[in-house]
Amino acid sequence: MVAWLTKRARPRGRRSWGKLAIFMLIAHVVGLFSSVEALMSSRTSQGAIAWIVSLNTIPYVAVPTYWIFGRNTFEGYVTSRRDEDSELARALADKLGELRAHGVSWPQEHRHLAGVEQLAKLPYLGGNDATLLIDGEETFASIFAGIEAAERYLLVQFYIVRDDDLGRELQQRLIARASEGVEVYFLYDEIGSYKLPNAYLQALRDAGVNVHRFHSTRGPGNRFQLNFRNHRKIVVADGARAWVGGFNIGNEYLQGHEDLGPWRDTHLKLEGPAALALQLVFIEDWHWATEEVPDLPWEPSVPSVNGVPALILPTGPADRFETASLMIQQAIHSARERIWISSPYFVPDEGVQGMLKLAALNGIDVRILIPERPDNLLTFYAAYAFLGPLIDAGVEIHRYQEGFLHGKAFLVDDAWAAVGTVNLDNRSFRLNFEVTALIMDGEFASDVEAMFERDFARSRQMTVEDLLDRPLWHRVAGRGAYLFAPVL
C-alpha cells in the first residue's frame, strides 16, 4: 500500500515542480523585458541600475512593483501635448496665440531666465496684480470671496479634498454658484482624494457642477501605474482672477493638525493675464480627465498697465525635461546675494544639492526652511543622509518649530520670488504634476522676504552637532530611507 501511494504521489509532485519552473521562467522573461523598458525610460542612471538588478534577480516582487511605482513616462498625456494634430494641441495653439499678445520681454538683468520660459511653454506675461496669502484664514477668505464674485465660470482643482467642514463649505459654495448659472468645473486627484465619498461628488453633479477625477490609470499604457499624482491646486474665476499655492481642502489646512499643530502654508492670488495661463494649465488636466476642451472666454483682464510680470510654470512627468528640478537649479544659479527656499519635503536630487553647495561656497546666503515635525517619516529620515555636506558647505538649514510647515516658496535676491506646489523631492521633480508662479517684482519679493523672516524667527538653525549626536539607529534609518528617494 505504501509503495502504491508513493508511486501515485511522484507524478503529482513532478507536475507541481514543473508548474513552478514554468512560472519562474515566465517571471524572469517578463523581468528581462521590463528591465529593457527601465533602461530606456529611467531618468537617472542610479534608478535604471536599481531596477535592472532587481527585475532580473527577484522579478516575482520587482515586476509588479516596477509597473505600479517605477515608471517615469505618463503615456497619453505626453501624446496629447505633443501631437500637433490633436484637439488639445489645436485648442492650446489658439489660446497661446492670444496670450502671447500680452507677453513682455525679460529685463536685461534677468535675460538668463529666458530658458525658464522655454521650459514653461507659456509666455512671460505683464500687467498682473500679485497678492501673497499667508496661512489658512487669509487664503480661504480670498478664495471663497473669489468664488462668490464669479459671474461666468469657475475652474477648481485640488490634490486633496476632504468631506469635512471646510470641504463641505467649498461644496456648498460651488453648488450655490452653479444654481446662479455660473459654469463650474471641479477636478480632483483620484489618489490624493481617495477618501472623498461619492455622495459628496453626486451632490455637486446634481447641482450642475462638472465633476471629474484626474486618474493616472487611464489609457492602455497606464493600467497599473499608481505613482503619478496631480498635485496642483488651482482656482480660476472668470479668467480674471486665480489662486495657486500649497493649500488643499481639509480642516487641518485651516484649523491645524491634531498631532502636528498649527498649519503654516503659503498661497498666491493673481489678477491679470497670468490667470489665463493658469486656466490653460487647468484645461490640459481637464482634457486628460475628460477628453474634452471646455469652451471658455479668453479675453484677458489687465488690472494695471504697470502691473507685475509673472510666469506660470507647469511641470510634470509629461515634460521632455526634468522641468521642476531645472527651475530650482536656475533659481539657485541666478542668485547673486541670496536664495531662500521653503519646502515641507526636502530630498532634492544631486543636481540641486550640488547647486546649493556651490552657491553657499560662493558666498551666497543660502537658507532652507523645513519642518521640525514631519508628517512623512521616510522623507524626514532621508534628509539626514545629505544634510551634513550641505551644512559643511555653508547652507543654513532652519527647522520650523511652531506647527507644520507646508508652504512651497523661494526668494531670489531682492528681485523675484515664486509660490507654487513644488516640493524639493523626487516626487515633485519627476512624478507629480505641479505648477509654480514666478513673480518678477521687487515689492512682491519684499513681501516674501518679510514672510521668510517671520518664519526664520520661529525656527531653529541646525548645526553639525545635531547630526553627529544622532544615535546609530537614526543614522542607519537615514541612509536606509534615502534608498527610497526615487519614489518619495
Coordinates of all heavy atoms in Angstrom, one line a residue, residues 66-145:
Y66 N 7.6 47.5 -10.2 CA 8.0 48.4 -11.2 C 6.8 49.0 -12.0 O 6.8 50.2 -12.3 CB 9.0 47.7 -12.2 CG 9.4 48.6 -13.4 CD1 10.2 49.7 -13.2 CD2 8.8 48.4 -14.6 CE1 10.6 50.5 -14.3 CE2 9.2 49.2 -15.7 CZ 10.0 50.2 -15.5 OH 10.3 51.1 -16.6
W67 N 5.9 48.1 -12.4 CA 4.8 48.6 -13.3 C 3.8 49.4 -12.5 O 3.0 50.2 -13.1 CB 4.1 47.4 -14.0 CG 5.0 46.9 -15.0 CD1 5.9 45.8 -15.0 CD2 5.2 47.4 -16.4 NE1 6.5 45.7 -16.2 CE2 6.1 46.6 -17.0 CE3 4.6 48.5 -17.0 CZ2 6.5 46.9 -18.3 CZ3 5.0 48.8 -18.3 CH2 6.0 48.0 -19.0
I68 N 3.9 49.4 -11.2 CA 3.0 50.2 -10.4 C 3.7 51.5 -10.0 O 3.2 52.6 -10.1 CB 2.5 49.5 -9.1 CG1 1.6 48.3 -9.5 CG2 1.8 50.5 -8.2 CD1 1.2 47.5 -8.4
F69 N 5.0 51.4 -9.5 CA 5.7 52.6 -9.0 C 6.9 53.0 -9.8 O 7.4 54.1 -9.5 CB 6.1 52.2 -7.5 CG 5.0 52.0 -6.6 CD1 4.8 50.7 -6.1 CD2 4.2 53.0 -6.2 CE1 3.8 50.5 -5.2 CE2 3.2 52.8 -5.3 CZ 2.9 51.5 -4.8
G70 N 7.4 52.3 -10.7 CA 8.7 52.6 -11.2 C 8.8 53.4 -12.5 O 9.8 53.9 -12.9
R71 N 7.6 53.5 -13.2 CA 7.7 54.2 -14.5 C 7.7 55.7 -14.4 O 7.1 56.3 -13.5 CB 6.6 53.7 -15.4 CG 6.6 52.2 -15.5 CD 5.4 51.7 -16.2 NE 5.3 52.2 -17.6 CZ 4.1 52.4 -18.2 NH1 3.0 52.2 -17.5 NH2 4.1 52.9 -19.4
N72 N 8.4 56.3 -15.3 CA 8.5 57.8 -15.3 C 7.8 58.5 -16.5 O 7.7 59.7 -16.5 CB 10.0 58.2 -15.4 CG 10.7 58.0 -14.0 OD1 10.3 58.6 -13.0 ND2 11.7 57.2 -14.0
T73 N 7.2 57.7 -17.4 CA 6.6 58.2 -18.5 C 5.1 58.1 -18.4 O 4.5 57.1 -18.1 CB 7.0 57.5 -19.8 OG1 8.4 57.6 -19.9 CG2 6.4 58.1 -21.0
F74 N 4.4 59.3 -18.6 CA 2.9 59.3 -18.4 C 2.4 59.3 -19.8 O 2.2 60.3 -20.5 CB 2.5 60.6 -17.7 CG 1.2 60.6 -17.2 CD1 0.9 60.1 -15.9 CD2 0.1 61.0 -17.9 CE1 -0.3 60.0 -15.3 CE2 -1.2 61.0 -17.3 CZ -1.4 60.5 -16.1
E75 N 2.1 58.0 -20.3 CA 1.7 57.9 -21.7 C 0.3 58.5 -21.9 O -0.5 58.5 -21.0 CB 1.6 56.4 -22.1 CG 3.0 55.7 -22.0 CD 4.0 56.3 -23.0 OE1 3.5 56.9 -24.0 OE2 5.2 56.1 -22.8
G76 N 0.0 58.9 -23.1 CA -1.3 59.5 -23.4 C -1.3 61.0 -23.1 O -1.6 61.8 -24.0
Y77 N -0.9 61.4 -21.9 CA -0.8 62.9 -21.6 C 0.3 63.4 -22.5 O 0.2 64.5 -23.1 CB -0.6 63.1 -20.2 CG -0.8 64.5 -19.6 CD1 -1.9 64.7 -18.8 CD2 0.0 65.5 -20.0 CE1 -2.1 66.0 -18.3 CE2 -0.2 66.8 -19.5 CZ -1.3 67.0 -18.6 OH -1.5 68.3 -18.1
V78 N 1.4 62.7 -22.6 CA 2.5 63.1 -23.4 C 2.1 63.3 -24.9 O 2.3 64.3 -25.5 CB 3.7 62.1 -23.3 CG1 4.8 62.5 -24.2 CG2 4.2 62.0 -21.9
T79 N 1.4 62.3 -25.4 CA 0.9 62.3 -26.8 C 0.0 63.4 -27.0 O 0.1 64.1 -28.1 CB 0.2 60.9 -27.1 OG1 1.1 59.9 -26.8 CG2 -0.2 60.9 -28.5
S80 N -1.0 63.7 -26.2 CA -1.9 64.7 -26.4 C -1.3 66.1 -26.4 O -1.7 67.0 -27.1 CB -3.0 64.7 -25.4 OG -2.5 65.0 -24.1
R81 N -0.2 66.3 -25.7 CA 0.5 67.5 -25.7 C 1.4 67.7 -26.9 O 1.5 68.9 -27.4 CB 1.4 67.7 -24.4 CG 0.7 67.8 -23.1 CD 1.7 68.0 -22.0 NE 2.1 69.4 -21.9 CZ 3.1 69.8 -21.2 NH1 3.8 69.0 -20.4 NH2 3.4 71.1 -21.1
R82 N 2.0 66.7 -27.4 CA 3.0 66.8 -28.5 C 2.4 66.6 -29.9 O 3.0 67.0 -30.9 CB 4.1 65.8 -28.2 CG 4.9 66.2 -26.9 CD 6.0 65.2 -26.7 NE 6.6 65.4 -25.4 CZ 7.5 64.6 -24.9 NH1 7.9 63.5 -25.5 NH2 8.1 64.9 -23.7
D83 N 1.2 66.0 -30.0 CA 0.6 65.7 -31.3 C 0.0 67.0 -31.8 O -1.0 67.5 -31.3 CB -0.4 64.6 -31.1 CG -1.0 64.2 -32.5 OD1 -0.6 64.9 -33.5 OD2 -1.9 63.4 -32.5
E84 N 0.6 67.6 -32.8 CA 0.2 68.9 -33.3 C -1.2 68.8 -33.9 O -1.9 69.8 -34.1 CB 1.2 69.4 -34.3 CG 2.5 69.7 -33.7 CD 3.5 70.3 -34.8 OE1 3.1 70.4 -35.9 OE2 4.6 70.6 -34.4
D85 N -1.7 67.6 -34.3 CA -3.0 67.4 -34.9 C -4.1 67.1 -33.9 O -5.2 66.9 -34.2 CB -3.0 66.3 -36.0 CG -2.1 66.7 -37.1 OD1 -2.0 67.9 -37.5 OD2 -1.4 65.8 -37.7
S86 N -3.7 67.0 -32.6 CA -4.7 66.6 -31.6 C -5.6 67.8 -31.3 O -5.3 69.0 -31.5 CB -4.0 66.2 -30.3 OG -3.5 67.3 -29.6
E87 N -6.8 67.5 -30.8 CA -7.8 68.5 -30.5 C -7.2 69.5 -29.4 O -7.3 70.7 -29.5 CB -9.0 67.9 -29.9 CG -10.1 68.9 -29.5 CD -11.3 68.3 -28.8 OE1 -11.2 67.1 -28.4 OE2 -12.3 69.0 -28.5
L88 N -6.5 68.9 -28.4 CA -5.9 69.7 -27.4 C -4.8 70.7 -27.9 O -4.8 71.9 -27.6 CB -5.3 68.9 -26.3 CG -4.5 69.6 -25.2 CD1 -5.5 70.5 -24.4 CD2 -3.8 68.6 -24.2
A89 N -3.9 70.1 -28.8 CA -2.8 70.9 -29.4 C -3.4 72.1 -30.2 O -2.9 73.2 -30.1 CB -1.9 70.1 -30.2
R90 N -4.4 71.8 -31.0 CA -5.0 72.9 -31.8 C -5.7 74.0 -30.9 O -5.5 75.2 -31.1 CB -6.1 72.3 -32.7 CG -5.5 71.5 -33.8 CD -6.5 71.2 -34.9 NE -7.7 70.5 -34.4 CZ -7.8 69.2 -34.4 NH1 -6.8 68.5 -34.8 NH2 -8.9 68.7 -33.9
A91 N -6.4 73.5 -29.8 CA -7.0 74.5 -28.9 C -6.0 75.3 -28.2 O -6.1 76.5 -28.0 CB -7.9 73.7 -27.9
L92 N -4.9 74.6 -27.7 CA -3.9 75.4 -26.9 C -3.1 76.3 -27.8 O -2.7 77.4 -27.4 CB -2.9 74.4 -26.3 CG -3.5 73.5 -25.2 CD1 -2.4 72.7 -24.5 CD2 -4.3 74.3 -24.2
A93 N -2.9 76.0 -29.1 CA -2.2 76.9 -30.0 C -3.0 78.2 -30.2 O -2.4 79.3 -30.2 CB -2.0 76.2 -31.3
D94 N -4.3 78.1 -30.3 CA -5.1 79.3 -30.4 C -5.0 80.1 -29.1 O -4.9 81.4 -29.2 CB -6.6 78.9 -30.6 CG -6.8 78.2 -32.0 OD1 -5.9 78.4 -32.9 OD2 -7.8 77.6 -32.2
K95 N -5.1 79.5 -28.0 CA -5.1 80.3 -26.7 C -3.7 80.9 -26.5 O -3.6 82.0 -26.0 CB -5.5 79.4 -25.6 CG -6.8 78.6 -25.7 CD -7.9 79.4 -26.3 CE -9.1 78.5 -26.6 NZ -10.2 79.2 -27.4
L96 N -2.7 80.1 -26.8 CA -1.3 80.6 -26.6 C -1.1 81.9 -27.5 O -0.4 82.8 -27.1 CB -0.3 79.6 -26.9 CG 0.0 78.6 -25.8 CD1 0.8 77.4 -26.3 CD2 0.7 79.3 -24.6
G97 N -1.7 81.8 -28.7 CA -1.5 83.0 -29.6 C -2.2 84.2 -29.0 O -1.6 85.3 -29.1
E98 N -3.3 84.1 -28.3 CA -3.9 85.2 -27.7 C -3.1 85.7 -26.5 O -3.0 86.9 -26.2 CB -5.4 84.8 -27.3 CG -6.3 84.5 -28.5 CD -7.7 84.1 -28.0 OE1 -8.2 84.8 -27.0 OE2 -8.3 83.2 -28.6
L99 N -2.6 84.7 -25.7 CA -1.8 85.1 -24.6 C -0.5 85.8 -24.9 O -0.1 86.7 -24.2 CB -1.5 83.9 -23.7 CG -2.5 83.4 -22.7 CD1 -2.0 82.2 -22.0 CD2 -2.7 84.5 -21.7
R100 N 0.1 85.4 -26.0 CA 1.4 86.0 -26.4 C 1.3 87.5 -26.7 O 2.3 88.2 -26.6 CB 2.0 85.2 -27.5 CG 2.4 83.8 -27.2 CD 3.3 83.2 -28.2 NE 3.4 81.7 -28.0 CZ 4.2 81.2 -27.0 NH1 5.0 82.1 -26.3 NH2 4.3 79.9 -26.9
A101 N 0.1 87.9 -27.0 CA -0.1 89.4 -27.2 C 0.2 90.2 -26.0 O 0.4 91.4 -26.0 CB -1.5 89.6 -27.7
H102 N 0.1 89.5 -24.8 CA 0.3 90.2 -23.5 C 1.7 89.8 -22.9 O 2.0 90.1 -21.7 CB -0.8 89.9 -22.5 CG -2.1 90.3 -23.0 ND1 -2.6 91.6 -22.7 CD2 -3.1 89.7 -23.8 CE1 -3.8 91.8 -23.3 NE2 -4.1 90.6 -23.9
G103 N 2.5 89.2 -23.7 CA 3.8 88.8 -23.3 C 4.7 90.1 -23.2 O 4.5 91.0 -23.9
V104 N 5.7 90.0 -22.3 CA 6.7 91.1 -22.1 C 8.1 90.5 -22.2 O 8.3 89.3 -22.0 CB 6.5 91.8 -20.8 CG1 5.2 92.5 -20.7 CG2 6.6 90.8 -19.6
S105 N 9.0 91.3 -22.6 CA 10.4 90.9 -22.7 C 11.0 90.8 -21.3 O 10.7 91.6 -20.4 CB 11.2 91.9 -23.6 OG 10.6 91.9 -24.9
W106 N 12.0 89.9 -21.1 CA 12.7 89.8 -19.9 C 13.6 91.0 -19.7 O 14.2 91.5 -20.6 CB 13.5 88.5 -19.9 CG 12.7 87.3 -19.8 CD1 12.2 86.6 -20.8 CD2 12.4 86.6 -18.6 NE1 11.5 85.5 -20.3 CE2 11.6 85.5 -19.0 CE3 12.6 86.8 -17.2 CZ2 11.1 84.6 -18.0 CZ3 12.0 85.9 -16.3 CH2 11.3 84.8 -16.7
P107 N 13.6 91.6 -18.5 CA 14.6 92.7 -18.2 C 16.0 92.2 -18.5 O 16.3 91.1 -18.3 CB 14.3 93.0 -16.7 CG 13.0 92.4 -16.4 CD 12.8 91.2 -17.3
Q108 N 16.8 93.2 -18.9 CA 18.2 92.8 -19.3 C 18.9 92.1 -18.2 O 19.7 91.1 -18.4 CB 18.9 94.1 -19.7 CG 20.3 93.8 -20.3 CD 20.3 93.0 -21.6 OE1 19.4 93.2 -22.4 NE2 21.2 92.1 -21.7
E109 N 18.6 92.5 -16.9 CA 19.4 91.9 -15.8 C 18.9 90.5 -15.5 O 19.5 89.7 -14.8 CB 19.2 92.7 -14.5 CG 17.8 92.9 -14.0 CD 17.1 94.1 -14.6 OE1 17.5 94.5 -15.7 OE2 16.1 94.6 -14.0
H110 N 17.8 90.1 -16.2 CA 17.2 88.7 -16.0 C 17.2 87.9 -17.3 O 16.4 87.0 -17.3 CB 15.9 88.8 -15.3 CG 15.8 89.4 -14.0 ND1 16.6 89.0 -12.9 CD2 15.1 90.5 -13.5 CE1 16.4 89.8 -11.9 NE2 15.5 90.7 -12.2
R111 N 17.9 88.3 -18.2 CA 17.9 87.6 -19.5 C 18.3 86.1 -19.4 O 17.8 85.3 -20.1 CB 18.8 88.3 -20.5 CG 18.4 89.6 -21.0 CD 17.0 89.5 -21.8 NE 17.1 88.6 -22.9 CZ 16.0 88.2 -23.6 NH1 14.8 88.6 -23.2 NH2 16.1 87.4 -24.6
H112 N 19.1 85.8 -18.3 CA 19.5 84.4 -18.1 C 18.3 83.5 -17.7 O 18.4 82.3 -17.7 CB 20.6 84.4 -17.1 CG 20.2 85.0 -15.8 ND1 20.2 86.4 -15.6 CD2 19.8 84.5 -14.6 CE1 19.8 86.6 -14.3 NE2 19.5 85.5 -13.7
L113 N 17.2 84.1 -17.4 CA 16.0 83.3 -17.0 C 15.1 83.0 -18.2 O 14.1 82.3 -18.1 CB 15.2 84.1 -16.0 CG 15.8 84.3 -14.6 CD1 14.9 85.2 -13.7 CD2 16.1 83.0 -13.9
A114 N 15.5 83.4 -19.4 CA 14.6 83.2 -20.6 C 14.4 81.7 -20.8 O 13.4 81.3 -21.4 CB 15.3 83.8 -21.8
G115 N 15.4 80.9 -20.4 CA 15.3 79.4 -20.6 C 14.1 78.9 -19.8 O 13.5 77.9 -20.2
V116 N 13.8 79.5 -18.7 CA 12.6 79.0 -17.9 C 11.3 79.2 -18.7 O 10.4 78.4 -18.6 CB 12.6 79.8 -16.5 CG1 11.4 79.3 -15.7 CG2 13.9 79.6 -15.8
E117 N 11.3 80.3 -19.4 CA 10.1 80.5 -20.3 C 10.0 79.4 -21.3 O 8.9 78.9 -21.7 CB 10.2 81.9 -21.0 CG 8.9 82.2 -21.7 CD 9.0 83.6 -22.3 OE1 10.2 84.0 -22.7 OE2 8.0 84.3 -22.4
Q118 N 11.1 78.9 -21.9 CA 11.1 77.8 -22.8 C 10.6 76.5 -22.1 O 9.9 75.8 -22.7 CB 12.5 77.6 -23.4 CG 13.0 78.8 -24.2 CD 12.1 79.2 -25.4 OE1 11.7 78.3 -26.1 NE2 11.8 80.4 -25.5
L119 N 11.0 76.3 -20.9 CA 10.5 75.2 -20.2 C 9.0 75.2 -19.9 O 8.3 74.2 -20.0 CB 11.2 75.1 -18.8 CG 12.7 74.7 -18.8 CD1 13.3 74.8 -17.4 CD2 12.9 73.3 -19.4
A120 N 8.5 76.4 -19.6 CA 7.1 76.6 -19.3 C 6.2 76.4 -20.5 O 5.1 76.0 -20.4 CB 6.9 78.0 -18.7
K121 N 6.7 76.8 -21.7 CA 5.9 76.8 -23.0 C 4.7 77.7 -22.8 O 3.7 77.5 -23.4 CB 5.5 75.3 -23.3 CG 6.6 74.4 -23.6 CD 6.2 73.0 -24.0 CE 7.3 72.1 -24.2 NZ 7.0 70.7 -24.5
L122 N 4.9 78.7 -22.0 CA 3.9 79.7 -21.8 C 4.7 81.1 -21.7 O 5.8 81.1 -21.3 CB 3.2 79.5 -20.4 CG 2.2 78.4 -20.4 CD1 1.7 78.2 -19.0 CD2 1.0 78.7 -21.3
P123 N 4.1 82.1 -22.2 CA 4.8 83.4 -22.2 C 4.9 84.1 -20.9 O 4.1 83.8 -19.9 CB 3.9 84.3 -23.2 CG 2.5 83.7 -23.0 CD 2.8 82.2 -22.8
Y124 N 5.9 84.9 -20.8 CA 6.1 85.7 -19.6 C 5.2 86.9 -19.7 O 5.3 87.7 -20.7 CB 7.6 86.1 -19.6 CG 8.1 87.1 -18.6 CD1 8.0 86.8 -17.2 CD2 8.8 88.3 -18.9 CE1 8.5 87.7 -16.3 CE2 9.3 89.1 -18.0 CZ 9.1 88.9 -16.7 OH 9.6 89.7 -15.7
L125 N 4.2 87.1 -18.8 CA 3.1 88.0 -19.0 C 3.2 89.2 -18.1 O 3.5 89.0 -16.9 CB 1.8 87.2 -18.8 CG 1.5 86.0 -19.7 CD1 0.4 85.2 -19.2 CD2 1.2 86.5 -21.1
G126 N 2.9 90.4 -18.6 CA 2.9 91.6 -17.8 C 1.4 92.0 -17.4 O 0.5 91.3 -17.8
G127 N 1.3 93.0 -16.6 CA 0.1 93.6 -16.3 C -0.7 92.9 -15.2 O -2.0 92.9 -15.2
N128 N 0.0 92.2 -14.2 CA -0.7 91.5 -13.2 C -0.6 92.1 -11.8 O 0.3 92.9 -11.6 CB -0.1 90.1 -13.1 CG -0.1 89.3 -14.4 OD1 -1.2 88.8 -14.8 ND2 1.0 89.2 -15.1
D129 N -1.6 91.8 -11.0 CA -1.5 92.1 -9.6 C -1.3 90.8 -8.9 O -1.9 89.8 -9.1 CB -2.8 92.7 -9.0 CG -3.0 94.2 -9.4 OD1 -2.0 94.8 -9.8 OD2 -4.1 94.7 -9.4
A130 N -0.3 90.8 -7.9 CA 0.0 89.6 -7.2 C -0.1 89.8 -5.7 O 0.5 90.8 -5.2 CB 1.4 89.1 -7.5
T131 N -0.9 89.0 -5.0 CA -1.1 89.2 -3.6 C -0.6 87.9 -2.8 O -1.1 86.8 -3.1 CB -2.6 89.4 -3.3 OG1 -3.0 90.5 -4.0 CG2 -2.8 89.6 -1.8
L132 N 0.3 88.1 -1.9 CA 0.8 86.9 -1.1 C -0.2 86.6 0.0 O -0.7 87.5 0.7 CB 2.1 87.3 -0.5 CG 2.9 86.2 0.3 CD1 3.3 85.1 -0.7 CD2 4.1 86.8 1.0
L133 N -0.6 85.3 0.1 CA -1.6 84.9 1.1 C -0.9 84.0 2.1 O -0.3 82.9 1.6 CB -2.7 84.2 0.4 CG -3.5 85.0 -0.6 CD1 -4.5 84.2 -1.4 CD2 -4.2 86.2 0.1
I134 N -0.9 84.3 3.3 CA -0.2 83.5 4.4 C -1.2 82.9 5.3 O -2.0 83.6 5.9 CB 0.8 84.4 5.1 CG1 1.8 85.1 4.2 CG2 1.5 83.7 6.2 CD1 2.7 86.1 4.8
D135 N -1.2 81.6 5.4 CA -2.0 80.7 6.3 C -3.4 80.7 5.8 O -3.9 81.4 4.9 CB -1.8 81.2 7.7 CG -0.4 80.9 8.3 OD1 0.2 80.0 7.7 OD2 0.0 81.5 9.3
G136 N -4.2 79.8 6.5 CA -5.5 79.4 6.0 C -6.6 80.4 6.0 O -7.3 80.5 5.1
E137 N -6.7 81.2 7.1 CA -7.8 82.1 7.3 C -7.7 83.1 6.1 O -8.7 83.4 5.5 CB -7.7 82.8 8.6 CG -8.9 83.7 8.9 CD -8.9 84.2 10.3 OE1 -8.3 83.6 11.2 OE2 -9.6 85.3 10.6
E138 N -6.5 83.7 5.9 CA -6.4 84.7 4.8 C -6.6 84.1 3.4 O -7.3 84.6 2.6 CB -5.0 85.3 4.9 CG -4.8 86.5 3.9 CD -3.4 87.1 4.1 OE1 -2.5 86.5 4.7 OE2 -3.2 88.2 3.5
T139 N -6.1 82.9 3.2 CA -6.2 82.2 1.9 C -7.6 81.8 1.6 O -8.1 82.1 0.5 CB -5.3 81.0 1.9 OG1 -3.9 81.4 2.1 CG2 -5.4 80.2 0.6
F140 N -8.3 81.1 2.5 CA -9.6 80.7 2.1 C -10.6 81.8 2.1 O -11.6 81.8 1.3 CB -10.1 79.6 3.1 CG -9.3 78.3 2.9 CD1 -8.5 77.8 3.9 CD2 -9.4 77.6 1.7 CE1 -7.8 76.6 3.7 CE2 -8.7 76.4 1.5 CZ -7.9 75.9 2.5
A141 N -10.4 82.9 2.9 CA -11.3 84.1 2.8 C -11.2 84.6 1.4 O -12.2 85.0 0.8 CB -10.9 85.1 3.8
S142 N -9.9 84.7 0.8 CA -9.7 85.2 -0.5 C -10.3 84.3 -1.6 O -11.0 84.8 -2.5 CB -8.2 85.4 -0.8 OG -8.0 85.9 -2.1
I143 N -10.1 83.0 -1.5 CA -10.6 82.1 -2.5 C -12.2 82.1 -2.5 O -12.8 82.1 -3.5 CB -10.1 80.6 -2.2 CG1 -8.6 80.6 -2.5 CG2 -10.8 79.6 -3.1 CD1 -7.9 79.3 -2.2
F144 N -12.8 82.0 -1.3 CA -14.2 82.0 -1.2 C -14.8 83.3 -1.7 O -15.9 83.3 -2.3 CB -14.7 81.7 0.2 CG -14.4 80.2 0.6 CD1 -14.3 79.9 2.0 CD2 -14.2 79.2 -0.3 CE1 -14.0 78.6 2.3 CE2 -13.9 77.9 0.0 CZ -13.8 77.6 1.4
A145 N -14.2 84.4 -1.4 CA -14.7 85.7 -1.9 C -14.6 85.7 -3.5 O -15.5 86.2 -4.2 CB -13.9 86.8 -1.4

